[in-house]
């Protein structure tokens, strides 16, 4: 077989090759521009969604064991009611407020995805269905107001609490989620991997405001308030630890190396949180309690939440142990300052969330700058640390002011606190007409 001559190649084949080159390159460009479904990412996000949901009954057990026996159902109902109320709110308007097109960087357009209209099973959010993203983020909107209930335990009307969480999600949680994650004015500036500012700081500050406004429980602190079932609290803490892997590692929004890092830092920080809390408790009170271990691991988880995908395990260890110790000190504040945060929602989530956000600006070394590291091509560590301080201050002040407004509005219309007879009888009987134990 004879080889084509050089003149034929120059005149015929070369021009044809030039014409075909952009056509051959088109599939590669199309793959970059058009989102495609990744089954691995989809599977991980489905699992993460379920893990975060499990945290809600975990929180119910954690809080339920710490109240007195006559209020166990009431306390657990605060978590389960949020499952119903916050889910419907999220589907109707919450997702739009958090992730709709930005209005002034403050909140999303409420009509963008009202009732999730226009989101089909085939609509993608990156590499997985948008409906999965909707439900994953919705789990955060469920558990955040439930965290606040720890400060209100044993003295709040159920119907007032329901109205409060509907309004609080609308005017506090969704705007904050938009600020930080949804394209708002803090997006890309304040680092918050999984909700240290949006979830924990906001709920903790709101819990403090409500504890101050509601006033102390009857006979508090003259009579000792002892948790009625610490085994229940420990079980709840274990479920929270387990579910937190979806909370933090799921916030990588992909089955990726970032998710693996977040899972590792989450576990290390929780373990270190136990050590930090028990060490501080031993120094102060002379013993290391089971309740302290449960509270410490939750504190460690709270502290690492904003940092989970930005720090290495050694830094997560420092964040966990310091958050455990700081939150123990935060719990002691209520005795010094005289307010009644029933289950230490502010002491753990408010202080832990604030410190975690600040610590992110100190220790971040993965994909971000911090005081100890400058990311190549990124902003300076001092600038990033400043962004963290601004985020903490803005979110805390916003949550505090709006919560106070909501409290007085609800109190004027329907009251917020049960009467003395109902509180003495216990909210299980007065609010729900049943009791937790019949033995």
């Amino acid at each position: 077989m004879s080889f084509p001559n050089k003149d034929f190649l120059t005149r015929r084949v070369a021009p044809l090759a030039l014409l075909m080159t952009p056509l051959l390159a088109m599939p590669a460009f199309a793959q970059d521009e058009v989102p495609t479904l990744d089954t691995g990412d989809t599977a991980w996000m489905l699992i993460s969604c379920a893990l975060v949901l499990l945290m809600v009954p975990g929180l119910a057990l954690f809080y339920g064991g710490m109240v007195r026996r006559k209020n166990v159902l009431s306390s657990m109902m605060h978590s389960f009611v949020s499952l119903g109320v916050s889910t419907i709110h999220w589907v109707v308007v919450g997702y739009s407020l958090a992730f709709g097109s930005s209005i002034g960087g403050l909140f999303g357009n409420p009509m963008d995805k009202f009732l999730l209209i226009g989101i089909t099973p085939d609509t993608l959010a990156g590499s997985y269905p948008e409906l999965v993203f909707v439900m994953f983020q919705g789990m955060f909107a469920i558990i955040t107001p439930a965290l606040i209930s720890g400060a209100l335990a044993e003295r709040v009307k159920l119907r007032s609490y329901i109205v409060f969480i509907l309004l609080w999600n609308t005017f506090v949680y969704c705007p904050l989620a938009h600020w930080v994650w949804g394209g708002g004015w803090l997006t890309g500036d304040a680092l918050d991997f999984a909700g240290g500012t949006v979830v924990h700081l906001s709920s903790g500050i709101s819990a403090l405001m409500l504890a101050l406004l509601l006033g102390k429980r009857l006979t508090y602190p003259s009579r000792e308030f002892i948790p009625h079932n610490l085994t229940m609290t420990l079980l709840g803490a274990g479920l929270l630890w387990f579910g937190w892997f979806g909370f933090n590692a799921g916030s990588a929004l992909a089955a990726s190396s970032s998710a693996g890092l977040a899972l590792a830092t989450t576990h290390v920080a929780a373990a270190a949180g136990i050590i930090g809390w028990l060490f501080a408790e031993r120094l102060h009170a002379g013993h290391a309690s089971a309740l302290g271990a449960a509270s410490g691991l939750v504190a460690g988880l709270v502290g690492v939440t904003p940092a989970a995908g930005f720090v290495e395990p050694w830094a997560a260890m420092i964040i966990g142990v310091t958050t455990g110790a700081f939150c123990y000190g935060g719990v002691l504040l209520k005795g010094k300052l005289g307010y009644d945060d029933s289950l230490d929602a502010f002491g753990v989530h408010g202080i832990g969330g604030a410190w975690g956000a600040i610590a992110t600006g100190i220790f971040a070394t993965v994909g971000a700058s911090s005081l100890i590291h400058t990311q190549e091509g990124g902003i300076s560590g001092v600038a990033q640390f400043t962004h963290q301080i601004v985020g903490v201050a803005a979110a805390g002040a916003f949550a505090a002011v709006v919560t106070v407004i909501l409290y007085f509005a609800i109190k004027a219309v329907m009251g917020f606190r049960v009467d003395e007879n109902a509180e003495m009888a216990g909210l299980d009987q007065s609010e729900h007409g049943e009791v937790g134990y019949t033995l």
Side-chain angles (χ1 to χ4, degrees), residues 8-389:
F8 175 80
L9 289 171
T10 302
R11 289 184 292 104
R12 303 291 183 185
V13 179
L16 182 61
L18 288 172
L19 289 172
M20 291 296 293
T21 298
L23 296 177
L24 292 171
M26 282 180 66
F29 289 130
Q31 288 176 0
D32 290 339
E33 295 174 359
V34 179
T36 56
L37 182 73
D38 185 290
T39 55
D41 289 346
T42 301
W44 171 236
M45 293 309 299
L46 288 168
I47 292 169
S48 296
C49 187
L51 286 170
V52 181
L53 174 61
L54 184 64
M55 293 174 69
V56 181
L59 181 68
L61 288 167
F62 182 75
Y63 277 169
M66 286 196 283
V67 297
R68 291 169 292 177
R69 182 174 60 181
K70 63 184 179 180
N71 294 310
V72 58
L73 294 179
S74 169
S75 178
M76 296 182 76
M77 276 288 285
H78 290 155
S79 294
F80 279 92
V81 161
S82 187
L83 272 171
V85 172
S86 297
T87 296
I88 301 305
H89 174 272
W90 186 252
V91 170
V92 174
V93 73
Y95 180 65
S96 295
L97 288 170
F99 293 98
S101 56
S102 188
I103 298 178
L106 299 177
F107 55 90
N109 187 337
M111 300 309 296
D112 261 6
K113 297 176 181 180
F114 181 74
L115 285 171
L116 307 185
I117 293 171
I119 303 177
T120 72
D122 297 321
T123 304
L124 296 183
S127 57
Y128 50 90
E130 186 174 0
L131 285 173
V132 177
F133 179 75
V134 172
M135 290 297 105
F136 177 71
Q137 292 293 343
M139 299 305 167
F140 286 62
I142 292 167
I143 198 168
T144 305
L147 295 173
I148 300 172
S149 69
L152 316 177
E154 303 192 308
R155 61 197 188 279
V156 67
K157 295 179 179 179
L158 179 64
R159 62 183 183 274
S160 300
Y161 170 75
I162 290 173
V163 172
F164 172 77
I165 63 176
L166 278 171
L167 295 174
W168 192 87
N169 269 339
T170 301
F171 296 108
V172 178
Y173 179 79
C174 290
L176 285 178
H178 184 76
W179 289 8
V180 177
W181 296 326
W185 69 281
L186 287 174
T187 301
D189 291 334
L191 300 176
D192 191 355
F193 193 80
T197 302
V198 177
V199 175
H200 297 291
L201 175 64
S202 68
S203 61
I205 292 294
S206 296
L208 175 62
M209 293 299 103
L210 291 177
L212 291 169
L213 293 168
L214 275 174
K216 302 173 187 177
R217 289 167 289 178
L218 297 176
T219 71
Y220 179 90
S222 59
R223 180 180 298 175
E224 192 173 10
F225 285 65
I226 301 174
H228 89 282
N229 192 335
L230 284 179
T231 55
M232 181 187 294
T233 295
L234 286 167
L235 174 59
L239 289 175
L240 285 170
W241 192 336
F242 180 68
W244 224 292
F245 291 125
F247 198 90
N248 283 1
S251 293
L253 304 180
S256 62
S257 58
S258 181
L261 173 65
L263 185 145
T265 56
T266 297
H267 188 64
V268 169
I274 296 175
I275 296 171
W277 187 292
L278 293 184
F279 182 75
E281 186 178 32
R282 178 73 179 178
L283 286 178
H284 174 258
H287 58 257
S289 66
L291 178 58
S295 301
L297 76 87
V298 173
L301 290 165
V302 170
V304 81
T305 291
F310 301 121
V311 299
E312 297 171 66
W314 65 265
M317 194 180 305
I318 295 174
I319 292 173
V321 74
T322 53
T323 307
F326 290 164
C327 289
Y328 178 76
V331 169
L332 297 180
L333 279 178
K334 67 180 184 181
K336 301 291 185 182
L337 301 180
Y339 62 87
D340 184 11
D341 177 1
S342 310
L343 309 180
D344 303 317
F346 171 70
V348 173
H349 298 280
I351 290 176
W355 167 240
I358 294 169
T360 304
I362 299 173
F363 296 109
T365 55
V366 182
S369 297
S370 67
L371 291 182
I372 67 168
H373 171 78
T374 298
Q375 177 71 11
E376 185 177 351
I379 64 174
S380 72
V382 172
Q384 186 58 64
F385 184 75
T386 302
H387 286 322
Q388 299 304 110
I389 298 295

Side-chain angles (χ1 to χ4, degrees), residues 385-420:
F385 184 75
T386 302
H387 286 322
Q388 299 304 110
I389 298 295
V390 169
V392 168
F398 178 72
V401 171
V402 178
T403 298
V404 170
I405 294 170
L406 294 180
Y407 169 81
F408 282 111
I410 293 171
K411 181 182 178 182
V413 174
M414 58 194 307
F416 217 111
R417 182 169 177 160
V418 298
D419 61 40
E420 290 189 7

